[in-house]
Amino acid sequence: MRLFTGCLHPASGEEQGNMTPQWLCSIGPGQGYIRTFRFPEDLEDDSTTFNPEYSHQVFGDDEVAFGYKGLKILLYYNAGNLSTLFRIEYTSKVNENFDCVEADDVESKIRKIIPPGFCTSTDDFVSLLEKEVNFKPFGTLLHTYSVHNEEAGEDITYQIYQADMTCPGFREYHERLQTFLMWFIETASFIDVDDERWNYFLVFEKYNKDGATLFATVGYMTVYNYYVYPDKTRPRVSQMLILPPFQGEGHGAQLFETVHRYYMSSPTVLDITAEDPSENYVKLRDFVLVKLCQDLPCFSSEKLMQGFSQEMVTEAQQKLKINKQHTRRVYEILRLRATDMGDPEQSRGYRLDIKKRLIGPYKRVQALIKKGQGCHNQVPAYGVCASPAIGTSPLGTDPCHQYLRRNNKKQRELAKMRRCLRPEELTNQLNQIDLNMQHEQLEESFQQLVSDYRRVLERLAQA
């Protein structure tokens, strides 16, 4: 696997103020410098290179390095145990007489996130590649599946394992594995591996070379087991990453479903959640949970058309460890499948059912304002305040929050009103704009949801 490689392009002088453009190198997205390798001959194959999506956590918000020409970062990984090669190369570097400004210490910045023990010599790295045949996955095998590879014209086998820090060598392997987070998750951070409440789930490709069986790292997930009084736990997904060469092949869904089934079998698990899920994660969760729920009796077409029920909540929680909020979203997706949107009556019933749920944040905001909580300059804007009374919709579709997030002008106007108006004046102003804003944003949110739900159903039909 190759993370960084190749020369980094000079950054724009206009964007960097007075810094001399010729000494600035962009290290942001689009600059390929990560590679993974299976065999020594892969060193000549640039197709193994993939680009980081983020580098600001290493190089700052500007994502540039100052003081070099022809800067090249080499960050190479063995495909299996992720043994690492790291070094930087450049054609020239500013000296100490350059306006008393020193070059950025690129090497030390990257050293902060990769564990010690990496090699800097290509020959040493090749010798490690030759030992890949000895690498075996850590932990307990949970699931084996295959994916057809059109290019190779054959099915490729993948396996998912559950591991912990008691597995020999896993701690060191995880230290290398987690470095990928910094390049592919925007707000990534390393976890406390000494906390025994962490579980680790790993995906590997199983392949053969010269009669030997080898394994390549595909991705992983970390889950933290929270205590729930009096005798339950609530597993919360913290990190999930499928490496770029394997994305778009269904490995995320396989990993998610395998982990979910792993916890479903435990009588002490209450339900399964996720920490600050991304939009892509929510879409993945939708697909897997709908797949699991669609055959439950409570989600029959007849019962779906009767509306969301406590029976659905209870059955999904008891049989599949799905919480109420996620069950509601599953219901909305399955009801869309059961609804004839060409039938005016069925279409109207579905629309009203969804909008009734979407309008909740508006009502909470208005209720909070009418109660006059806090001084007038602290009245929360729609869904933006971190107050638990408002927050963001648990389904990620808070119409007020989305509206303001997409409309900076409205945010500034409402912020100004909160500063300048007394509570009763603010209430009057908000009442005047509220209806128009509700109708506009509710319809926009509804159409976006239907579009997202249809994509889930299309993928489900192809599964």
Side-chain angles (χ1 to χ4, degrees), residues 224-228 232-236 269-273:
Y224 191 80
N225 297 294
Y226 280 90
Y227 167 72
V228 179
K232 300 290 185 181
T233 60
R234 173 173 282 128
R236 178 181 293 178
V269 169
L270 182 64
D271 53 39
I272 305 162
T273 62

Side-chain angles (χ1 to χ4, degrees), residues 87 123 138 145 148 171 183 185 215 220 228 230 250 268 276 296 338 346 383 390 439 461:
R87 69 171 182 262
D123 290 340
F138 302 94
Y145 64 99
H148 185 72
R171 180 183 292 266
W183 312 113
I185 296 181
F215 294 87
Y220 82 118
V228 179
T268 63
D276 192 20
L296 293 179
Q346 289 191 32
I390 303 177
H439 290 310

Side-chain angles (χ1 to χ4, degrees), residues 70 94 101 169 215 402 431:
V94 297
V101 178
F215 294 87
Q402 288 183 355
N431 285 336

Side-chain angles (χ1 to χ4, degrees), residues 36 41 59 64 69 72 99 101 124 138 144 168 184 188 225 244 260 314 345 362 397 421 452 461-462:
T36 59
E41 53 265 33
F59 296 104
V64 297
K69 290 182 181 179
K72 181 190 291 186
D99 294 333
V101 178
D124 291 342
F138 302 94
T144 299
F184 296 103
N225 297 294
H260 199 93
T314 302
E345 184 176 346
Y362 291 103
T397 53
L421 299 179
D452 291 342
Q462 298 170 359

Side-chain angles (χ1 to χ4, degrees), residues 311-377:
E311 179 187 6
M312 296 174 182
V313 175
T314 302
E315 192 167 1
Q317 194 278 324
Q318 292 181 349
K319 294 183 178 180
L320 302 176
K321 307 300 173 73
I322 301 174
N323 65 31
K324 182 177 180 179
Q325 296 161 358
H326 299 163
T327 301
R328 168 72 196 201
R329 193 167 174 101
V330 168
Y331 153 76
E332 292 179 0
I333 295 171
L334 289 176
R335 178 164 177 180
L336 176 62
R337 186 172 68 177
T339 299
D340 180 1
M341 296 300 282
D343 182 295
E345 184 176 346
Q346 289 191 32
S347 177
R348 181 175 182 274
Y350 182 75
R351 182 185 299 269
L352 291 177
D353 188 37
I354 302 302
K355 287 189 174 182
K356 182 178 179 181
R357 195 258 302 168
L358 292 177
I359 203 170
Y362 291 103
K363 292 182 177 179
R364 292 198 296 272
V365 170
Q366 289 299 326
L368 197 63
I369 292 174
K370 288 178 181 179
K371 288 181 181 179
Q373 294 185 6
C375 60
H376 70 275
N377 63 351

Side-chain angles (χ1 to χ4, degrees), residues 361-362 364-366 368-369 376-387 389-392 398 400-401 404-405 410-418 426 430 437:
Y362 291 103
R364 292 198 296 272
V365 170
Q366 289 299 326
L368 197 63
I369 292 174
H376 70 275
N377 63 351
Q378 293 178 329
V379 177
Y382 295 91
V384 175
C385 177
S387 167
I390 303 177
T392 303
D398 182 331
C400 303
H401 181 73
L404 293 176
R405 184 174 58 191
K410 286 291 184 182
Q411 290 190 51
R412 292 193 297 271
E413 290 175 353
L414 290 176
K416 184 177 181 180
M417 286 194 293
R418 293 200 310 276
L426 177 60
L430 290 177
M437 187 173 75

